[in-house]
Amino acid sequence: MESVAESIREVQDRPVGFPAPPDPRLVRALRALDERRIKDAQNLVKSVQDEPDAARLAWTTFLSGLIALERPDLASAGTSFALAAFRAIQEPVSSPEEKRDRYRLAAWAFEKLGLIYRRQDHLEHAYELHLEAYHLRGVHGSFDELWETAVSLGLDAHLAKRHEDAAAWHQRAIELAEKTSDQVQRRQAVAWTHLASALTAWGHHDDAVDAARRAVALWRAHDPAATTVAKAEMNLGYALLEQGESLHDIDAEHAAIVLERAIEGLAAAHEALRAFGAETAADAQWCNEQLDFARRLRATL
């Protein structure tokens, strides 16, 4: 249920402490992208593009990829990210610090290129690129960067129906979140949310419900008034629904108890999502569909 706008925002994110571009104009271009001033960013990048400096060239190519995503032109963005990674790694450097920053930029380019491949359903390519980013970040990056790519690897594996790998990467993301520099609760909540989804798809329903409950608690602690809390409650209700369905033909008494909890949780989540209006309308509709199914399933017991 992720929108194109949300996917573009995801590509814009960068870890705390990430090195700044080696030119004030490129710093301003990155800020302009954050603020959705795309024309300003484009003009700033263009003003630097013809200067024969390896570091600037890698950054201008990377920023051109971010700008292409805003159009959106995934093909051009992908070409730019691939070229940026090549330039960041292959061009000569003058110091160990510059090498580290250049490899971090290459990892960022691989991370974003992997996202493009994932959105095009080229899941194995996405996984390979994210694994390369993870290796680079393991040597040159921060825990914030490693956490980002562990989440990406988990999502790649989940969509490819490699559920055991997905769960392992989301467990790794939970561990990494504890070591990140800020927003630890939010990062933990994200990882627990994804872990619950992976465990549900894998059929490990008891563990999935536990993970979904952890996610709800973390989202509430992070920001109790945010839409993420209502979405987390919806995810918990869905995990309970899947658990109840798995018990339906095995243990009717237990299934009835679990489905009652699912109905209660989904009903509360649906009301909370409706309160946010258009922002969560798609989630509210999906939640209501799951609620209807849960009620019908409960009625068969």
Side-chain angles (χ1 to χ4, degrees):
M1 290 177 287
E2 183 182 61
S3 70
V4 173
E6 285 171 336
S7 72
I8 291 174
R9 280 196 290 276
E10 181 183 6
V11 175
Q12 296 292 91
D13 289 344
R14 59 187 178 281
V16 172
F18 197 85
D23 187 294
R25 290 168 292 179
L26 296 180
V27 174
R28 294 201 300 273
L30 201 51
R31 187 180 304 119
L33 277 169
D34 289 340
E35 296 170 358
R36 303 292 179 269
R37 294 184 287 107
I38 310 308
K39 189 65 175 177
D40 290 344
Q42 198 166 10
N43 290 336
L44 286 162
V45 169
K46 189 175 180 180
S47 72
V48 184
Q49 277 179 332
D50 295 331
E51 298 183 12
D53 175 275
R56 287 182 177 83
L57 190 57
W59 267 98
T60 56
T61 307
F62 180 80
L63 289 171
S64 294
L66 292 182
I67 290 167
L69 282 174
E70 293 287 350
R71 290 199 284 268
D73 183 346
L74 295 185
S76 295
T79 299
S80 292
F81 290 139
L83 185 56
F86 175 82
R87 286 172 169 169
I89 291 172
Q90 295 298 324
E91 295 292 342
V93 296
S94 58
S95 68
E97 292 76 16
E98 185 182 357
K99 178 180 179 180
R100 181 172 182 264
D101 288 352
R102 206 81 76 69
Y103 274 71
R104 290 175 80 185
L105 177 59
W108 195 14
F110 283 135
E111 171 70 25
K112 304 317 172 191
L113 183 57
L115 289 176
I116 290 174
Y117 273 111
R118 188 167 77 215
R119 300 195 190 289
Q120 296 173 329
D121 290 327
H122 300 308
L123 300 176
E124 288 306 314
H125 289 311
Y127 189 87
E128 290 169 4
L129 286 160
H130 285 142
L131 195 59
E132 183 65 28
Y134 190 85
H135 290 155
L136 285 172
R137 287 175 160 181
V139 177
H140 303 283
S142 65
F143 287 119
D144 301 62
E145 293 160 73
L146 279 170
W147 173 86
E148 178 187 42
T149 303
V151 170
S152 291
L153 284 159
L155 291 173
D156 296 338
H158 184 160
L159 291 171
K161 303 187 186 307
R162 291 164 35 206
H163 303 307
E164 185 173 3
D165 288 342
W169 279 113
H170 293 314
Q171 289 277 12
R172 179 60 179 147
I174 290 166
E175 296 166 5
L176 289 165
E178 296 175 359
K179 302 176 182 179
T180 55
S181 61
D182 74 336
Q183 299 190 64
V184 173
Q185 279 184 334
R186 184 190 71 81
R187 288 189 165 108
Q188 287 179 325
V190 168
W192 278 105
T193 298
H194 290 317
L195 177 61
S197 181
L199 289 169
T200 294
W202 193 11
H204 289 227
H205 298 295
D206 292 349
D207 291 338
V209 169
D210 289 342
R213 285 199 176 102
R214 288 290 297 271
V216 169
L218 286 161
W219 283 120
R220 282 177 179 158
H222 173 65
D223 187 350
T227 61
T228 49
V229 175
K231 291 178 182 180
E233 290 171 343
M234 175 184 70
N235 292 336
L236 173 56
Y238 179 70
L240 286 163
L241 170 57
E242 290 288 296
Q243 183 185 35
E245 186 177 13
S246 73
L247 293 166
H248 186 275
D249 297 329
I250 301 170
D251 186 343
E253 184 177 353
H254 189 192
I257 294 170
V258 172
L259 288 170
E260 287 292 346
R261 292 172 182 163
I263 290 166
E264 181 181 349
L266 288 166
H270 180 245
E271 289 304 310
L273 289 164
R274 285 184 61 198
F276 287 102
E279 182 182 358
T280 56
D283 289 297
Q285 180 179 346
W286 185 85
C287 185
N288 194 47
E289 291 168 359
Q290 306 314 306
L291 177 58
D292 179 64
F293 176 65
R295 285 171 171 157
R296 286 188 284 109
L297 189 62
R298 173 66 181 88
T300 65
L301 294 171

